[in-house]
Amino acid sequence: MTIHNDRTRIGDQNLGVLFNEGKVRRRREWRGVKDTLYDYGRWLYIISILARFIVKPRNIKAMFRYRWMANYLAVPHMVDKFTMGLRDEPLRIVHTAMDFVVYDVAQTMENIFRGDRRTGNDEKFSARCVLTDENAMTAFMMGFPTLKAILREVPTMFVANLLNQYSTTHYLDVAQQAGIPGDVCPMPEAEAGISIEDDFAVLGACAVQVNTTCDGSLMGNGIIAKRLEREYGIPTFQLVAPMRHREADVQDYAAQDIKNAIAFIEEHTGAKWDWDAYFECAKRVNDITRNRLAWLEMNSTNYPQFVGAPFSLYNDTNYMGNCGRSPKFPPIDRKIMKYAQHGYEAKRMMAPEYRHRAIIWGVQPQYVIDMLNWMIHCWGIVPLTDMLSMVNTRQIAEVDTPENREQAYYDMAWLNENMIMRNRTHGGYKVLVDELWQFCEQMNADMVIMWEHMSCKALDGMHGQFEEQARERGIHLVWVCHDLCDPRVYTRQAIRDQLNTYMRTVMREEPLDPTIEFLPDEKAW
Amino acid sequence: MRDLKHLQYFEDLLQVANNELIAQAQSEGKICVAYPCENVPEPLLNLPGAFSVRLFAPNTGSTDIATYYMTNLLCETSRALLERAIEGGFNFADCVISPDGCTMMNRCVENMELLKTMGKDKEHFFWQYMEIPLKDDDNNLSLYKLQCKNHILDPLHEAYGLDISDAAIRQAVEEHNRVCRLIRAIGDFRKGEKPRITGYEFHVLTLATYVCPKYLIVDKLEETLEELKTREPDDKPWRARVVLVGSEADDSGLIKLIEEVGAFVCADRFCMGSLPGRNLIELNDSEDALTQVCRAYMHRCQCPRMMNMAKVYGRKQYVADVAKEYGADGIIYEQVKFCDPWAYERTLGSVMLRDDYGYPVLSVDRPYNIRSSVGQMRTRVQAFVESIEIKKLQRGQTE
Amino acid sequence: MPKVVKIPLLLLGSLAALFVVTFTVYFLNLDMKLLSKIEPFFLKHYDKMPRKNYV
């Protein structure tokens, strides 16, 4: 059922006018006076964050020391990507979420370079830092208010790829030169390449690695840990997230390893676990969960508000990277909620019409392209949710009692097991395949955009099952192949063309905005 | 060397997954427990009234159907097994017990289940997936015990009425050890200047102990051991002695190819090999057998998914120790194409064995069935052997 | 003109000028165009740096 937008978009109608074959866009979008001035104001805010960051000598030093820092020249460009075509509340929602992500990443990098032996070298600060994987729920840090969890792979690999599609290619080459084959997932491969080339910042009293997301992450950790331990004398702990995470008979095991991780951190930092701080964080985690469920419920209606890559990225940052530890996130959540409610009541839409409602499933390359936003404007396909946002839905214990203190270990273990993406790619076919169809029904989706990350063996291994079961249910399953952060294998246009071809040949539709059906962005950041 | 009397017999058994001994054992009323991975403790699958069969897919040709279901980027072993299952090649199984170890093997078995490839007309057939240790510590031992109980022992008892008592486990361990003693004793003949058994022959015998009911081949293994005690070794020396390390190697053709080039495979540190797969399990009377079996498997496990750093470093130390014990000149790290765990392990292992332990290392990936890549592998191994010979010459000159 | 009027007028003028300049940079995407030209210099610099590459 097509939903028509009874308002005409103000400003640029055809978004193709913004693109040429260059690295950056021809110009920024004209959104009418009100929204253009709003966007301009947010651009000034982003510039101020960058300016405050770059004036510090240690950060300038970092700019010249670490190759991945060059990607941060593209920060405003990234924000433009995610706000393309948006007006009114959807524009404000994305800015609120993404601008805060930019702020949060800037803070992370501030901390990293403050403690980094090669730049700031603040030893006292470094002694309060615990390195964690980017693919780790940082729940085990919730009770250490005096310590800093440093997700050093986030700005190095993950965010860098949001900014520049070619950010990891050099590191992939380094890893492959060292002997790691090219068929493994490029995310841990790039992390291994960064470690091999000694391009990670070095700081921290200790490091906690986790086997999430997958076999590749698990194995890449060994290469990274070897360097941390043998060259830099930073001890590492490998925290287990069981594979069969839905089974009752692994929960004791998982909880015990959380205890072990906490003991390891206490031993190497001298800090003591603080239950008050933990339960404070737990309350925020519950708040995050409630908000996310509310947004999902809204997205189940005809007027979804908080969608696409920003929804996914904000969830990643808040749910995983933050995991309740920062008090700065709840006000952002509330602001987003206010805009979302307002937008929902006003029946705001992001495109002239919504022709299809899609669940986005699989390992999505939101790092590389802003395809979900593009999909809305080009084809009227609204992404209701994505696999990475379908995470924990239960409330954890948030009141300090003796029973809840014991329960807390199980809650932290549960969060650890339900790390984004991994809670679906592992744990059996029920969580990956069966539950997809349940979500399609709950959210009234008629389409599934199936990201087939060619190096994700966990997902590829269910290819045939997805195909057959989608056919049985009469759901349009659109396969979109990619190789995540290696755009040399599948370019952005090649990725988009898979959807273009499906929409033209199977759905027999014409694009809403034909000027963006083919975009000359192969050379773009 | 004179042909081993029973080698042809074992070679014939290995031509099909559903070998004649499986049918014989089942006709005697025994339950066939199929499993795909070394991390499932074998003795627990060989309790009185049952026998284990490790799934493998000899003479695999096309894997087109499995590739449709799993794409061509999953490891060839997992696709070969799924293809064989779809073809009906594993219909002998009375149950399948699989660890959720590596992702690909897990998806392989899940597809087998969803496609209903086994268990037709078998009222008590079951599929079980178990969690297995990722580290080597007390917490992981507790997990392993619980998982073995919940996903091996209890289902076998409930479905087939098998005795899962401590005494039954001890009996199974003793029978398992009997085979291990034979294999290790036979394997010892690979040591020394003039080995009395080739790596290929040894692999055939070892592989048979994984894929056939052990109790039906133990007599022939004993005879083979006796035969080896008086077998005259070849005079012609091998050009080099190598340890083969890596992922599943259930294709004896791989070993044969390496040895045809002149490199004697003196030790088999790969999945479905004897090191550590045929280590004895020593039981004492002060602790229950299940705990001891789990501890033995956990401690000795060389699977690359064991992720605590002691294990990461320990695996390389183990290879170095094996190389020393068997007098190896070099090490070949191999992986089946598209295996993620061994892709990384091979990289780290080959660097560490070279830099920290001073061994020349060849690092290769290969297809599941070596016949599809004979020329390439031969060239790589040949070049490696020549480099070892040159190093030996240079060492001889300096000494 | 009295200072009480002159100073606010100057301030307003400056703000207006700042707005025009920054808005021009913003709308014509001059910030990104400039930074995209700077990127290659950084990449060349990184390529020249000595590295301790090892597994």
Side-chain angles (χ1 to χ4, degrees):
Chain A
M1 188 184 82
T2 302
I3 312 277
H4 294 279
N5 191 349
D6 51 15
R7 290 184 193 84
T8 313
R9 180 160 69 197
I10 299 172
D12 287 325
Q13 298 298 314
N14 298 118
L15 299 170
V17 69
L18 302 173
F19 296 89
N20 55 22
E21 284 181 356
K23 199 171 228 168
V24 299
R25 295 183 184 185
R26 186 178 280 130
R27 61 167 173 82
R28 288 200 166 89
E29 198 176 335
W30 178 251
R31 307 175 199 255
V33 171
K34 188 181 82 168
D35 285 338
T36 304
L37 282 176
Y38 171 77
D39 191 61
Y40 160 72
R42 300 312 299 170
W43 172 81
L44 282 175
Y45 170 67
I46 296 285
I47 297 292
S48 73
I49 294 177
L50 300 177
R52 274 199 305 270
F53 180 84
I54 207 62
V55 296
K56 292 196 172 118
R58 63 175 180 237
N59 295 341
I60 298 174
K61 211 172 168 186
M63 190 78 202
F64 285 93
R65 171 61 182 80
Y66 298 112
R67 176 184 295 267
W68 48 268
M69 281 293 288
N71 301 305
Y72 287 85
L73 297 171
V75 170
H77 174 85
M78 175 198 75
V79 179
D80 293 339
K81 263 193 330 201
F82 292 127
T83 56
M84 184 179 82
L86 300 181
R87 308 284 184 269
D88 303 312
E89 283 83 359
L91 174 66
R92 283 149 182 78
I93 288 169
V94 170
H95 262 301
T96 305
M98 292 310 298
D99 293 356
F100 191 74
V101 167
V102 169
Y103 167 81
D104 191 59
V105 172
Q107 290 304 300
T108 302
M109 287 164 70
E110 277 281 337
N111 289 333
I112 287 174
F113 298 131
R114 184 178 168 190
D116 176 29
R117 294 177 194 186
R118 293 186 269 245
T119 53
N121 199 25
D122 183 338
E123 288 176 2
K124 266 177 127 173
F125 176 77
S126 178
R128 291 196 291 118
C129 292
V130 176
L131 295 179
T132 68
D133 277 358
E134 69 172 320
N135 284 332
M137 290 298 288
T138 48
F140 55 85
M141 294 296 292
M142 283 160 75
F144 288 117
T146 58
L147 299 181
K148 287 263 180 247
I150 302 287
L151 288 76
R152 65 174 190 166
E153 291 155 3
V154 165
T156 311
M157 195 266 127
F158 184 88
V159 175
N161 208 237
L162 293 175
L163 303 166
N164 177 6
Q165 60 172 326
Y166 291 103
S167 68
T168 60
T169 52
H170 171 82
Y171 299 116
L172 291 172
D173 291 344
V174 167
Q176 288 173 27
Q177 255 186 326
I180 303 173
D183 60 272
V184 302
C185 174
M187 205 160 144
E189 187 172 24
E191 287 163 12
I194 295 167
S195 177
I196 291 168
E197 199 168 72
D198 201 19
D199 221 24
F200 271 126
V202 180
L203 71 157
C206 58
V208 175
Q209 299 177 315
V210 195
N211 60 301
T212 53
T213 327
C214 60
D215 292 348
S217 299
L218 185 165
M219 294 305 303
N221 283 344
I223 291 177
I224 294 171
K226 177 176 172 265
R227 191 146 206 176
L228 279 175
E229 290 188 343
R230 287 193 171 182
E231 185 168 349
Y232 294 113
I234 296 172
T236 66
F237 180 88
Q238 285 69 40
L239 171 62
V240 169
M243 312 299 269
R244 315 293 299 177
H245 55 86
R246 288 285 179 93
E247 303 294 319
D249 63 2
V250 302
Q251 303 307 328
D252 287 345
Y253 166 62
Q256 181 59 50
D257 219 35
I258 291 285
K259 290 181 187 171
N260 295 343
I262 289 171
F264 171 83
I265 294 169
E266 286 181 331
E267 184 195 338
H268 289 283
T269 62
K272 279 274 160 263
W273 184 259
D274 181 336
W275 282 111
D276 289 338
Y278 170 79
F279 284 109
E280 202 53 50
C281 293
K283 289 186 180 73
R284 287 191 211 112
V285 169
N286 286 339
D287 201 36
I288 294 168
T289 303
R290 282 191 294 269
N291 290 336
R292 187 171 17 86
L293 290 174
W295 293 325
L296 285 170
E297 208 179 305
M298 210 179 275
N299 290 353
S300 305
T301 70
N302 285 343
Y303 301 100
Q305 294 298 312
F306 192 10
V307 299
F311 179 59
S312 178
L313 287 166
Y314 183 72
N315 286 331
D316 293 356
T317 309
N318 199 0
Y319 175 73
M320 186 173 77
N322 168 41
C323 204
R325 287 176 294 109
S326 168
K328 294 200 163 94
F329 276 86
I332 302 296
D333 273 15
R334 286 195 287 275
K335 204 170 175 187
I336 293 173
M337 188 64 80
K338 203 174 92 177
Y339 283 132
Q341 276 166 346
H342 205 264
Y344 172 73
E345 282 156 18
K347 295 188 177 163
R348 297 282 187 217
M349 288 174 64
M350 290 159 271
E353 57 190 52
Y354 292 158
R355 295 171 174 171
H356 300 285
R357 296 167 60 82
I359 303 280
I360 315 301
W361 208 247
V363 177
Q364 56 161 329
Q366 73 260 37
Y367 324 120
V368 182
I369 59 176
D370 53 339
M371 183 157 159
L372 302 187
N373 196 24
W374 169 86
M375 227 162 62
I376 298 173
H377 300 300
C378 189
W379 292 103
I381 301 171
V382 63
L384 306 173
T385 187
D386 61 282
M387 189 178 85
L388 277 62
S389 296
M390 306 309 280
V391 284
N392 171 50
T393 55
R394 47 180 217 219
Q395 299 282 290
I396 62 175
E398 61 179 45
V399 177
D400 190 354
T401 65
E403 298 79 23
N404 281 352
R405 286 192 180 190
E406 191 53 33
Q407 178 60 34
Y409 295 112
Y410 288 85
D411 290 339
M412 284 186 272
W414 179 252
L415 289 173
N416 192 37
E417 291 162 312
N418 281 277
M419 177 248 160
I420 53 147
M421 179 162 60
R422 188 267 182 181
N423 69 319
R424 300 276 161 210
T425 56
H426 293 74
Y429 57 80
K430 286 188 174 56
V431 295
L432 181 65
V433 184
D434 296 357
E435 289 189 7
L436 168 60
W437 314 127
Q438 289 169 17
F439 294 136
C440 283
E441 207 172 322
Q442 281 163 21
M443 300 190 83
N444 197 22
D446 66 313
M447 200 176 247
V448 170
I449 308 294
M450 182 64 76
W451 293 118
E452 184 154 60
H453 171 19
M454 41 193 296
S455 311
C456 178
K457 313 317 170 57
L459 208 76
D460 296 345
M462 281 285 131
H463 179 103
Q465 295 300 331
F466 279 121
E467 181 103 353
E468 289 182 350
Q469 292 186 31
R471 201 176 295 130
E472 278 166 28
R473 288 166 173 78
I475 290 176
H476 286 285
L477 186 77
V478 187
W479 288 104
V480 183
C481 288
H482 64 90
D483 199 15
L484 205 62
C485 41
D486 193 348
R488 299 170 296 187
V489 179
Y490 266 96
T491 64
R492 282 171 169 165
Q493 189 58 48
I495 296 172
R496 286 189 293 260
D497 276 342
Q498 293 169 79
L499 181 68
N500 286 341
T501 305
Y502 192 94
M503 295 308 290
R504 282 192 177 278
T505 58
V506 178
M507 304 307 289
R508 303 216 174 247
E509 291 178 13
E510 292 291 320
L512 284 176
D513 184 353
T515 65
I516 56 172
E517 190 180 353
F518 302 103
L519 287 174
D521 59 357
E522 207 168 298
K523 296 195 190 98
W525 262 336
Chain B
M1 288 189 286
R2 197 184 154 123
D3 285 349
L4 291 172
K5 181 175 159 199
H6 296 302
L7 186 71
Q8 183 70 54
Y9 172 76
F10 284 115
E11 282 174 337
D12 289 345
L13 282 176
L14 298 178
Q15 293 310 306
V16 288
N18 190 3
N19 61 70
E20 66 194 39
L21 296 183
I22 294 174
Q24 183 183 334
Q26 285 178 313
S27 70
E28 291 169 13
K30 293 195 191 294
I31 303 301
C32 176
V33 184
Y35 70 108
C37 167
E38 67 173 7
N39 289 302
V40 185
E42 249 179 301
L44 303 182
L45 313 180
N46 287 279
L47 298 170
F51 65 96
S52 66
V53 170
R54 179 123 179 225
L55 296 176
F56 83 130
N59 300 311
T60 288
S62 147
T63 54
D64 284 349
I65 302 176
T67 299
Y68 163 72
Y69 280 100
M70 298 208 295
T71 79
N72 56 0
L73 270 172
L74 262 76
C75 88
E76 293 195 4
T77 304
S78 60
R79 281 188 279 144
L81 293 184
L82 178 61
E83 188 83 13
R84 193 59 56 98
I86 292 169
E87 287 168 355
F90 297 144
N91 280 345
F92 54 81
D94 292 309
C95 59
V96 174
I97 297 176
S98 177
D100 197 334
C102 74
T103 295
M104 289 179 254
M105 200 54 77
N106 178 247
R107 287 295 183 234
C108 168
V109 176
E110 286 186 335
N111 272 291
M112 286 180 185
E113 182 191 351
L114 289 167
L115 293 170
K116 299 182 175 46
T117 57
M118 290 178 236
K120 200 174 164 199
D121 301 325
K122 292 190 177 182
E123 188 193 340
H124 300 291
F125 187 93
F126 64 79
W127 300 87
Q128 283 287 336
Y129 300 89
M130 53 187 280
E131 185 77 31
I132 48 172
L134 277 160
K135 297 194 290 187
D136 179 1
D137 60 23
D138 288 343
N139 187 28
N140 280 270
L141 179 59
S142 301
L143 170 88
Y144 215 179
K145 280 167 50 186
L146 182 63
Q147 293 294 309
C148 286
K149 180 186 172 303
N150 288 354
H151 300 285
I152 303 177
L153 300 178
D154 287 350
L156 283 174
H157 177 68
E158 282 155 21
Y160 293 109
L162 295 185
D163 179 4
I164 57 171
S165 64
D166 191 76
I169 296 174
R170 286 176 188 272
Q171 185 185 334
V173 170
E174 191 37 51
E175 286 165 11
H176 178 84
N177 281 345
R178 188 180 167 202
V179 171
C180 290
R181 267 184 218 105
L182 286 167
I183 290 294
R184 294 308 292 271
I186 292 171
D188 281 346
F189 286 108
R190 294 173 297 173
K191 296 176 182 172
E193 282 283 317
K194 294 187 181 175
R196 292 190 203 171
I197 186 168
T198 66
Y200 164 74
E201 290 167 332
F202 182 71
H203 186 249
V204 167
L205 300 175
T206 306
L207 192 58
T209 68
Y210 281 104
V211 305
C212 302
K214 294 176 191 34
Y215 76 102
L216 289 175
I217 57 171
V218 77
D219 55 341
K220 291 190 171 59
L221 289 174
E222 280 168 347
E223 286 181 34
T224 305
L225 177 59
E226 286 310 305
E227 203 181 330
L228 284 166
K229 286 176 183 170
T230 54
R231 195 189 199 196
E232 283 298 320
D234 277 340
D235 271 325
K236 188 176 165 201
W238 292 90
R239 294 170 67 189
R241 295 171 63 90
V242 295
V243 178
L244 188 61
V245 184
S247 60
E248 287 96 346
D250 57 24
D251 178 3
S252 304
L254 170 67
I255 320 294
K256 195 178 220 182
L257 183 152
I258 294 171
E259 293 192 324
E260 275 171 359
V261 171
F264 174 60
V265 178
C266 61
D268 52 336
R269 179 18 337 256
F270 48 78
C271 202
M272 279 173 127
S274 69
L275 300 166
R278 289 291 168 255
N279 281 9
L280 270 67
I281 300 171
E282 310 279 6
L283 297 182
N284 59 50
D285 292 328
S286 56
E287 203 178 23
D288 67 282
L290 176 62
T291 302
Q292 294 182 71
V293 167
C294 290
R295 187 184 292 114
Y297 266 79
M298 193 178 68
H299 278 343
R300 79 185 199 189
C301 180
Q302 297 297 313
C303 179
R305 64 186 293 289
M306 291 288 257
M307 64 177 192
N308 54 307
M309 290 311 285
K311 274 288 193 188
V312 171
Y313 299 136
R315 284 194 289 274
K316 287 68 177 175
Q317 181 66 55
Y318 183 72
V319 171
D321 291 344
V322 163
K324 192 173 175 190
E325 185 185 344
Y326 286 81
D329 301 309
I331 294 160
I332 299 179
Y333 263 93
E334 58 84 17
Q335 64 157 106
V336 173
K337 267 187 164 21
F338 309 132
C339 171
D340 275 2
W342 276 99
Y344 284 90
E345 180 70 10
R346 185 163 67 88
T347 303
L348 194 53
S350 48
V351 164
M352 287 181 72
L353 265 298
R354 191 187 59 224
D355 294 347
D356 297 357
Y357 297 98
Y359 281 99
V361 181
L362 170 66
S363 183
V364 288
D365 65 2
R366 61 170 178 91
Y368 179 71
N369 185 343
I370 196 61
R371 280 198 292 246
S372 57
S373 182
V374 166
Q376 290 158 332
M377 184 62 80
R378 198 190 295 279
T379 306
R380 296 292 305 278
V381 177
Q382 216 149 31
F384 182 56
V385 167
E386 280 165 20
S387 73
I388 292 178
E389 285 177 324
I390 290 169
K391 280 193 175 72
K392 276 186 188 170
L393 272 171
Q394 285 170 345
R395 228 179 295 135
Q397 278 164 3
T398 52
E399 280 159 13
Chain C
M1 202 185 285
K3 267 192 188 157
V4 149
V5 176
K6 207 175 178 181
I7 293 173
L9 269 174
L10 260 168
L11 209 62
L12 212 65
S14 308
L15 281 171
L18 191 66
F19 169 74
V20 167
V21 167
T22 55
F23 190 84
T24 306
V25 169
Y26 157 80
F27 192 73
L28 296 179
N29 206 18
L30 298 177
D31 54 327
M32 291 294 96
K33 286 174 181 168
L34 174 65
L35 292 178
S36 69
K37 297 271 185 273
I38 291 176
E39 192 202 26
F41 294 105
F42 276 106
L43 294 179
K44 268 204 192 100
H45 162 76
Y46 301 131
D47 286 339
K48 285 195 192 130
M49 283 172 64
R51 296 274 178 191
K52 275 191 298 180
N53 272 26
Y54 70 82
V55 173

